[in-house]
Amino acid sequence: MTGNEPDIDRVWAAMLDDPAPPLPTASETLSAARGAARRRTVFALAAAGAAGAVVVATVGVGLAFGNLQSTSPSVIPAASPPSVAPTPSRPPVPPPPAPSQDAADRHGQQNAALLMGAVPAGLTGLVQEASPGSPAWTWQLGDTAEYVSTVYVVLTTGQADGELSAMIRGGTSDLGTDPCSPRVTRLATPATTGCEVVDVDGVAIGVVVSQNSRGQVITGIRMLAGGLLVVESKQGIDQHTPDGSRPPDAKKTGTSKRDHDILGNWPGLPAPPLTVQQVAALAANPGLLP
Amino acid sequence: MSIGVSLDEEFVSYYQARAEHLRTTAYLLCGDWHLAQDLTQLTFTKLYRGWRRIERHDALDQYARRVLLRAYLDERRRPWRREVPTDTIDPTRPARPDGQPDDRIVLRSALMRLPPRQRAALVLRYWVDLSIEQTAAVLGCTSGTVKSQTADGLANLRRLLGGVANDFGHISGGGSA
């Protein structure tokens, strides 16, 4: 506290006159943090073996976009090996530059619109705004130049929830050009195996099919010069507990209890909302970048 | 990260050193110990998730404050958090036998009635004792904005305190770094 404003100390003293409840122990907090991290952790289906590894092969962009708007929730195809299309002979598209943090944040509106446009018929999409009118959740990583800027759209049937997201990560150097390199997959998804590169109109997209606590997660990774673009299609939203993570459909009732009277907390959709092909096509969509 | 020291050990060590201070900061921002605990937990969860990627651990405090502030401001914006505390205190309510409002209640209520960013500016400047530049970095705004938020916050505090404000003659604008 500064000595320049001595009397404001009385405000702090008045506030702190209210006794604090015991602070959770470090192990309790660590356990909760681990649990939250675990819920975000996805395991490569390839590693699951018996569950059936999903091998992502080369796909064509036309096939992907053909399915994009027409999938109904009752017939959403599960992530499965896509039809193998001949590798296009188009010249590879060089990675576009990662935008600045501000540009990525401002571009959130357009990415929200693109994700909403990809919502399969029969599902309701809800953009999760970071603040009113601003759908991008943008974080600077420490005091570095690195940032992540993510737009989330929750997809719901009213009884089950899934999620689409598009994340731009920038200010990151030395990532190379391989979207399936261990360094890249470590940044984009905890699943470090099972990544396959597919070609979408000359754009190399790394695709990983993995699993969270509520089902499959399909991740599409596009390299940028100085960053990444990551699109995710989640069958279900990670399970939430009163550790600070709450589902977007949570509604707080009452004012004195703090035990999160969550409504919703629904199970996952029958399958990921977008297929492997659709995720790859969306990740290659230049409209996701400013 | 030091070789041989696990991520969890570092995390626990940081928690033990800084959790109480962060929670108190959160409490001064939101005025509710339970919500402050939620915000603190959320902050440490985010820190844990990003621990491996945080290269400058000497800047952890600044990063943690920024995460906490963001969590606090975001919480207030979320529809399921737009709640009115049932224990809102009327500063004019007599709370002492002599019919005078309890100064403590008046002081608490005045702080809680400030707009969130003004309150955050005051807490960061005068509780956490950050410079104007450091406060601007945490709030993600310019130094000029911090100065105006601080000055406005102090002015509002004086106005809200009414009769108690006589004792606050020393509270002045926030223009000095």
Side-chain angles (χ1 to χ4, degrees), chain A residues 229-254:
Chain A
L229 171 70
V230 180
V231 172
E232 280 192 327
S233 165
K234 287 185 177 178
Q235 183 176 357
I237 300 173
D238 294 346
Q239 195 166 1
H240 297 270
T241 56
D243 62 1
S245 304
R246 294 176 199 107
D249 53 4
K251 291 179 182 174
K252 187 78 174 63
T253 58

Side-chain angles (χ1 to χ4, degrees), chain B residues 34-46:
Chain B
H34 297 283
L35 180 54
Q37 181 55 46
D38 284 355
L39 293 172
T40 307
Q41 177 64 57
L42 182 60
T43 299
F44 275 95
T45 297
K46 285 181 183 294

Side-chain angles (χ1 to χ4, degrees), chain A residues 70-78 120-123 157 269-271:
Chain A
S70 60
T71 314
S72 88
S74 57
V75 292
I76 294 172
L123 294 178
T157 64
L269 300 168

Side-chain angles (χ1 to χ4, degrees), chain B residues 15 17 29 41 55-57 62 64 67-68 75 77 91 93 105 122 125-126 137-138 140 144-145 153 162 170 172 175:
Chain B
Y15 178 86
L29 290 170
Q41 177 64 57
E55 292 174 359
R56 287 190 55 205
H57 282 209
Q62 184 83 341
V67 171
L68 178 69
E75 279 291 313
R77 293 184 186 122
R93 184 183 64 187
I105 294 174
L122 293 185
R125 290 281 287 117
Y126 300 130
V138 173
T145 303
H170 294 107
S172 56

